[in-house]
Amino acid sequence: MVSQHLASFRTGCCLVPVPSDEHPALLSMLQHVRSDFPHAGVIAVFSPGRSSHQQLLQIGAIGVSDVLVVEGELSADYIRTRLGRAAAHSVANRIGNALADHLPDAWVTLFKVALRLAQRPVMLPDFAVAAGMHERTLRKHCSRAGLLSPQWVLGWARVLTAAYYLDEPGRTVVAVANLLGFPSPSALQNLLRRYTGVAPRTLRQDGTSAAVMTALFKAVSAHEADASRANVSARHPLSSASAEIAGS
């Protein structure tokens, strides 16, 4: 029941109350959630005077994204905000760490910002604010770093985030499309196909995250090759023109 609820939950995150004594059923439920939704954010809710530190350690050993210390009542808006933030940061950190081994630091920094926003459709002004820059400055920063554009980063961040959720056995394409604010499941499928050139069903069979990462690195290599050729042409316009004539 909990896993079914989490599969359709808009934040992709859940709250787990820390009990005052042993609670095997709660630990079993959390283990089940972690198995079906390894990338979901999980917040342990600790109430001083009522929750046990020992139980918090047991829950933490299974895996939590954050600990929320509660004294008094919490508003629904506050809970919703914390859930959404925990979910976004959990997935963004996982993807960002994977990218850090393959991309330049300047790229990874911007990708991490975009990934934290990728739980919903994002416009360029929102990206610029999150990056602490003016829109024009963000465009120049991307250009200097060798990135195609801020929109290119945002697009790949959405695709990478969708891929990580699709790797979770408890989520359907419909659930992921709803979670990430796509207008329809077909919109998500079309986006995945456009960026990877592979049908979503095939992606899931082979591991969506791995396939999307591979597609991203191929796109990066192609962009770097184009940039290198452009630099050669700019430095040696006559030689480039001669090569083109010879090739024709």
Side-chain angles (χ1 to χ4, degrees), residues 13-26:
C13 188
C14 67
L15 292 172
V16 178
V18 179
S20 58
D21 51 19
E22 292 287 338
H23 200 310
L26 178 64

Side-chain angles (χ1 to χ4, degrees), residues 101-135:
D101 295 332
H102 303 278
L103 299 179
D105 291 344
W107 289 39
V108 174
T109 299
L110 279 181
F111 262 107
K112 285 185 175 180
V113 175
L115 287 164
R116 288 196 292 271
L117 303 173
Q119 303 284 328
R120 59 183 175 84
V122 175
M123 302 300 290
L124 181 57
D126 297 322
F127 186 20
V129 170
M133 305 179 192
H134 188 276
E135 286 182 50

Side-chain angles (χ1 to χ4, degrees), residues 7-11 119 172-185 188:
S8 61
F9 197 30
R10 288 286 300 176
T11 62
Q119 303 284 328
T172 64
V173 173
V174 173
V176 174
N178 290 334
L179 175 68
L180 299 182
F182 284 91
S184 67
L188 170 58

Side-chain angles (χ1 to χ4, degrees), residues 188-212:
L188 170 58
Q189 292 172 325
N190 290 337
L191 182 72
L192 289 167
R193 187 179 289 107
R194 185 165 72 249
Y195 274 77
T196 65
V198 180
R201 180 174 298 179
T202 303
L203 286 176
R204 298 201 78 174
Q205 291 173 350
D206 299 337
T208 314
S209 295
V212 169

Side-chain angles (χ1 to χ4, degrees), residues 53-139:
H53 288 86
Q54 184 61 37
Q55 294 304 304
L56 177 60
L57 290 175
Q58 289 188 12
I59 290 175
I62 296 174
V64 297
S65 310
D66 198 0
V67 177
L68 180 60
V69 179
V70 177
E71 296 188 69
E73 296 295 325
L74 295 177
S75 69
D77 286 342
Y78 179 80
I79 293 174
R80 188 181 300 111
T81 299
R82 286 297 296 265
L83 285 172
R85 187 184 304 153
H89 284 202
S90 176
V91 176
N93 286 339
R94 288 174 181 270
I95 301 173
N97 291 339
L99 294 177
D101 295 332
H102 303 278
L103 299 179
D105 291 344
W107 289 39
V108 174
T109 299
L110 279 181
F111 262 107
K112 285 185 175 180
V113 175
L115 287 164
R116 288 196 292 271
L117 303 173
Q119 303 284 328
R120 59 183 175 84
V122 175
M123 302 300 290
L124 181 57
D126 297 322
F127 186 20
V129 170
M133 305 179 192
H134 188 276
E135 286 182 50
R136 184 177 300 176
T137 305
L138 178 58
R139 292 182 188 277

